[in-house]
Amino acid sequence: MGRSKAGEWGPRVRRRAAAARGWVERHALSLLGLVTATVLAIMLYLPVGLVFADAVLDRGALTLSAFVDVLTDPFYVGVLADIFAEPLAVRSHIEGVASWLAAVSVSISLEAPIPGLEVPIPWPRVDAPAVRTGLFGFTAYQALCSTVASVVLGLPGAYVLANYEFRGRKTLRSLTIVPFVLPGIMVAVGFYAMFGRSGTLNGLLGLVGIGPYSFIEGNPLAVVIVAHAFYNAPLVARITVAAWESIDARTVETARSLGASPRRAFRDVVVPQLLPAVLTGALLTFIFTFMTFPIVLALGGLQLATVEVWIYDRVRRLAYGEAATLAVLETLLSLGLTYAYLRYESAQAGLARTASSPTRTPLFPNLRTALSPRRVAIGIYGLVALVVFVGPIASLLVGSVTDGDGLTLRHFAFLLERQFEGASYQTLPAVAVRNSLVFGVATLLIAVPMGVVISTVTVRAGRGGKLVDTLAMAPLAVSGVVFGIGLLQGLVFGIPLPGGWRFQVTGAVAIAAAHAVAAYPFVTRNVSPLLASLDPALVESARALGAPRYRALVDVELPLVASGIVAGAAFAFAISIGEFSSTVILAGGNDTYTMPVAVERYLGRRSGPAIAMGTILLFVTAASFVVVDRVGGRFER
Amino acid sequence: MKRRTFVTGVGASGVAGVAGCLTRDVEDDADGNETDDREPADPDLEGELTVATYTSMVDGDNPAGPWLKDAFEAEYPDATLTWTVPSQGLNHYISRERQSADFDADVYLGLNVDDLVRIDDTLGGGGLFRDLNVDRIDRSGRIRDGLDMGDPHGRVLAYDTGYISLVYDETVVDAPETLEALTEPAYEDALLAQNAQSSDPGRAFLLWTIDAYGEDGYLDYWRSLEDNGIRVLDDWTESYYGSYMNENRPMVVSYSTDQVYASAEGYDMSRHQIAFPDDQGYANPEGMGIFERASELDLAYAFLDFALSSEAQGVIAQRNVQFPAVTSEHVDLDEEFDQYAHEPPEAVTVGYETLRGKLDGWVEDWAREFAGQ
């Protein structure tokens, strides 16, 4: 095409381009919504639907008998089995409850509630006839304990990170989600290395002449709960910090200038704005720990088995119908909880808020301040955090450079040798690192727009919006093993079509999409509460001035909720790095393995190479989180 | 139902413009699949043989896999051996068979008896693998007695075996003379076992107790073990590297070859003593079989024969740290292996016929005993 001709066409082309850009901008949200819906349909609802169909179909006929079997089995639901079996026998159920209540007595006695420490403390003792809770009851109980522990351990961290200035604060904030990506087996081995009888903690206690204690043997449930807090307290902290940093400092100042004491201002101004974030963290923790699988069996043993353990067993035995039945019940519970929370979250919305960052005070400005009760409390919290979070990780790092004889670098030498001399069918460390990073970035690019779109669509949509939002949370509520089987049956093996065709989705694109599906709820849950609390007038005035909805979102709303987006992006990245089951299932060929997969593959009769690989996983992800936060931080105020 | 979901899927894929999601099965070699197993006059020893196995065969520390590939290709210069490690193990192929999805392997290396039971409980008796014509495997006669896996369909040959035993710390406990002794106060809070639902050694130990106490008595025995404080962790890795190596407990269900590793790693041998209660150990032979839908049948038979050669047996045994499947005159092992790998005086194993149709129930009853209290 001639240059002069192009010049002649120029203005028209420009006009057309401008018109096209205008059209795209006007419809950008709808288009993104459509893409999001498509990804969800293929990567989530199709595979999960295929598996869930097994729960209600028996040789093609619709049946609920599998549910009846589970709900009337005391092994699964404990005492509720009678109620499900005879829901109409209200009188006998009430009598049962009454006679149980009559047998309950409370007394105070001296006990040693701290595992491993024989310190007698007055402890209220409730004597009640044993109630059989069943597998579901126990699972919910340990999830509740784990959630409380995670919130209790996470909130002080969020408080310190949001309110105090100290060297390395930003780096520490970036590193908070590192525990989140560790494969379960690494965490279990790390916990044993930290809390075992010959572990690091007993080694340290031995230096001051006490111990050794059998922490894990003494109270396995407590250790499992601490391990769950290891995973989830950082999540609570991270989400809370994001909300705390977006609190308008002026609202606090206004309250103070009107005569409120600092405590009163905190209670009436800060807490209401933090509560949605804290509860989001608690909800996610509950769902995660309700569906926990490797940690309970690894540290607690079969006595602490959860519903997910049974699902995994059914899947291994290829009894998909039973697995699906249990998984459907699990999912219904999680989604019900999510719906209840979302109703609450929307009731909290409506606080006008523009970001004007709160001021941070130095953590240890001088010795006198450092000895104030508040600083001492922070110091004690720091010590607990060292034991719970740093301890297991540090013990793993030590394990990667030691063997029976002392210090050694041979585990890393194994990785180097494998990298340079390994055959193509073997797992090469550098390839695993590269794949993890590529999938992580791809996930980030897909999940962040998906999460934001869903937030925008659902935030002001009323009750129907809550329902959509709840369904959009399904990736978190669906059992991981069931999701994996669905991907395998639906997408990897393919769905037969007429004419010998098959619909198949595998390979790198599918892995990134599956990761994004698992990750976007974190973006949504980080962004929605902030978005909902923005003054709707901001968007309305932008639109009244002629901005399309998409422009208003990008130019007005997103900058105001940037801290939530960055937190969500970090989670998206973390989910992708830590994801295991759908990665191995969708990998298909041999060259799409990631770092956690490599850890698992190197685990044999010797643990050294796997732990060395886990160390690399730790360093690579820690560095990545710092980068994500630094890059993302540019968009924050 | 399925039709509707796939219509949605296809419609959606069109919208998204996902390319390359539609493939077409080329299944016109229907007669080609019906190759028979009689020895051909002129075997076709050319092509790509795909062998499926578990990760430690190729990805472990000094694994046997790379050696097997090189040696096999040296012996059959026109052949290529390709390893594949399905993430779901054998379930990968059972699922593929059930869904009639395409198939990519000829041989499976690493089958045990309960895999055969699972295949037959899911797909029907004699499924997935071919009935082997052992006449085509000259060296099959070398396999030791007692490593016959009892398959009525003759689908597998053992290539090695391991023994489940107890590993204990002699500075804390003595070797238990009998299984019964484990329920006594001397072994209170001492033993670590693994979850029979998911772990091979865990299931082997459970079957050992079923062999000893019968299907009516084994739960009672486990109740006494539970009263005596046994811990059942998920997998061998957690119980061994996690709990046992961090000295939480002095005894663990493990392999009788433990000292081979302990010596190589420089561990204190007093923590790595082997006990055979009742002078028994539970034998877990590992087998190999040829898939019904194998495309390189002649090479597959050649591979099975090759795996039983003296050299391959020695390498598999020493690199996998398992015992060879062939009698001692057909294999040479290092002295160190002989010194540290212990064989029980009597090997126990529960065969196919006993397990068929019952294994899942036994494991389920056992697991319910512990969980959901």
Side-chain angles (χ1 to χ4, degrees), chain A residues 13-155:
Chain A
V13 170
R14 262 201 299 278
R15 258 200 318 278
R16 286 235 177 117
R21 200 165 52 236
W23 187 89
V24 168
E25 281 207 346
R26 272 195 307 281
H27 296 91
L29 269 186
S30 325
L31 285 176
L32 276 175
L34 198 63
V35 173
T36 300
T38 309
V39 172
L40 286 182
I42 298 180
M43 299 306 298
L44 178 67
Y45 290 113
L46 169 70
V48 171
L50 282 179
V51 179
F52 279 8
D54 283 341
V56 288
L57 290 180
D58 186 22
R59 291 183 208 88
L62 212 58
T63 169
L64 287 178
S65 64
F67 288 96
V68 174
D69 288 349
V70 169
L71 290 177
T72 53
D73 186 343
F75 173 76
Y76 287 118
V77 295
V79 287
L80 293 181
D82 291 341
I83 297 178
F84 287 122
E86 289 178 79
L88 297 179
V90 179
R91 194 190 160 88
S92 78
H93 297 320
I94 291 176
E95 281 169 4
V97 173
S99 68
W100 182 83
L101 278 176
V104 175
S105 69
V106 181
S107 59
I108 303 282
S109 67
L110 287 182
E111 287 190 29
I114 303 164
L117 292 181
E118 301 302 317
V119 186
I121 293 173
W123 200 253
R125 198 185 145 107
V126 182
D127 281 313
V131 173
R132 192 158 183 199
T133 55
L135 207 55
F136 275 94
F138 174 75
T139 307
Y141 170 70
Q142 67 78 25
L144 195 66
C145 294
S146 302
T147 306
V148 170
S150 303
V151 171
V152 167
L153 268 172
L155 282 190

Side-chain angles (χ1 to χ4, degrees), chain A residues 73 192 197-198 217 297-298 300-302 314 316 410 418 425-427 497 499-500 502 504 605-607, chain B residues 6 21 23-25 58-61 66 91 100 231-232 234 238 241 246 248-249 261 265 364 368:
Chain A
D73 186 343
Y192 277 113
R197 234 186 124 75
S198 67
E217 287 284 314
L297 279 184
L302 192 54
R314 301 304 110 120
R316 250 193 110 263
R410 68 192 175 102
R418 180 55 54 87
Y425 51 84
Q426 292 182 316
T427 306
L497 307 180
R502 254 171 204 279
Q504 274 178 314
R605 289 297 298 273
R606 299 162 44 135
S607 63
Chain B
F6 90 65
C21 295
T23 54
R24 194 154 191 190
D25 297 337
V58 297
D59 249 330
D61 194 19
N91 278 353
S100 327
R231 280 277 259 126
V232 180
D234 187 32
E238 287 94 7
Y241 290 128
N246 284 295
N248 285 326
R249 294 221 153 187
Y261 288 97
E265 297 284 300
E364 173 82 8
R368 281 185 172 226

Side-chain angles (χ1 to χ4, degrees), chain A residues 34 38 41-42 45-46 49-50 53 57 73-76 131-135 138 185 188-189 192-199 213-217 220 293-294 297-305 309-310 312-320 322 403-405 410-411 414 418 423 425-428 485 488-490 492-505 581 584-585 590 600-609, chain B residues 1-3 5-6 8-10 12-13 15-16 18 20-25 55-56 58-63 65-67 69-70 81 83-85 87-88 91-92 94-96 98-102 115 118 122 189 192 195-200 203 226 229-243 245-249 254-255 257-258 261 264-267 320-322 360 363-364 366-373:
Chain A
L34 198 63
T38 309
I42 298 180
Y45 290 113
L46 169 70
L50 282 179
L57 290 180
D73 186 343
F75 173 76
Y76 287 118
V131 173
R132 192 158 183 199
T133 55
L135 207 55
F138 174 75
I185 178 68
V189 170
Y192 277 113
M194 179 66 191
F195 297 104
R197 234 186 124 75
S198 67
Y213 297 110
S214 301
F215 297 103
I216 298 179
E217 287 284 314
F293 163 48
L297 279 184
L299 290 169
L302 192 54
Q303 281 96 335
L304 304 188
V309 172
W310 249 249
Y312 177 71
D313 177 59
R314 301 304 110 120
V315 166
R316 250 193 110 263
R317 284 162 36 187
L318 300 161
Y320 294 153
E322 278 179 84
D403 62 6
D405 294 330
R410 68 192 175 102
H411 305 315
F414 168 87
R418 180 55 54 87
Y425 51 84
Q426 292 182 316
T427 306
L428 310 182
I485 291 303
L488 186 70
Q489 295 200 320
V492 176
F493 293 169
I495 296 168
L497 307 180
W501 289 84
R502 254 171 204 279
F503 175 75
Q504 274 178 314
V505 186
S581 56
V584 292
I585 286 170
N590 279 332
E600 193 84 3
R601 289 195 189 161
Y602 290 148
L603 202 63
R605 289 297 298 273
R606 299 162 44 135
S607 63
Chain B
M1 177 65 209
K2 277 201 172 164
R3 175 152 301 198
T5 43
F6 90 65
T8 327
V10 172
S13 82
V15 173
V18 179
C21 295
L22 293 176
T23 54
R24 194 154 191 190
D25 297 337
T55 50
S56 59
V58 297
D59 249 330
D61 194 19
N62 194 20
W67 184 92
K69 174 179 163 70
D70 292 345
L81 193 162
W83 289 114
T84 176
V85 182
S87 57
Q88 316 284 304
N91 278 353
H92 177 85
I94 301 179
S95 306
R96 279 184 181 270
R98 278 216 296 203
Q99 303 256 314
S100 327
D102 52 345
D115 288 330
R118 196 164 73 247
T122 328
D189 294 339
L192 278 166
N195 185 359
Q197 291 171 302
S198 54
S199 151
D200 278 346
R203 197 161 44 251
E226 200 178 356
I230 190 178
R231 280 277 259 126
V232 180
L233 297 181
D234 187 32
D235 221 327
W236 182 84
T237 309
E238 287 94 7
S239 58
Y240 189 86
Y241 290 128
S243 196
M245 290 303 281
N246 284 295
E247 297 181 23
N248 285 326
R249 294 221 153 187
S254 187
Y255 298 91
T257 45
D258 182 71
Y261 288 97
E265 297 284 300
Y267 294 148
N320 263 9
V321 194
Q322 301 270 318
D360 280 349
V363 173
E364 173 82 8
W366 171 86
R368 281 185 172 226
E369 183 65 36
F370 281 86
Q373 301 299 311

Side-chain angles (χ1 to χ4, degrees), chain A residues 181-187 189 396 415 427 429 432 580 593-604 606-618, chain B residues 55 59 237:
Chain A
V181 304
L182 286 181
I185 178 68
M186 301 289 297
V187 173
V189 170
L396 268 185
L415 295 185
T427 306
F580 185 78
Y593 47 83
T594 56
M595 290 189 282
V597 178
V599 168
E600 193 84 3
R601 289 195 189 161
Y602 290 148
L603 202 63
R606 299 162 44 135
S607 63
I611 294 180
M613 188 66 218
T615 304
I616 291 180
L617 163 78
L618 259 172
Chain B
T55 50
D59 249 330
T237 309

Side-chain angles (χ1 to χ4, degrees), chain A residues 349-416:
Chain A
L351 288 157
R353 192 190 291 179
T354 48
S356 117
S357 306
T359 45
R360 295 190 186 87
T361 49
L363 187 55
F364 293 120
N366 53 46
L367 190 63
R368 238 186 96 189
T369 327
L371 290 175
S372 70
R374 187 169 293 188
R375 300 300 203 276
V376 169
I378 291 174
I380 293 174
Y381 170 75
L383 217 59
V384 173
L386 272 183
V387 170
V388 173
F389 299 108
V390 181
I393 293 179
S395 302
L396 268 185
L397 298 187
V398 169
S400 72
V401 291
T402 49
D403 62 6
D405 294 330
L407 282 181
T408 176
L409 281 176
R410 68 192 175 102
H411 305 315
F412 289 98
F414 168 87
L415 295 185
L416 279 180

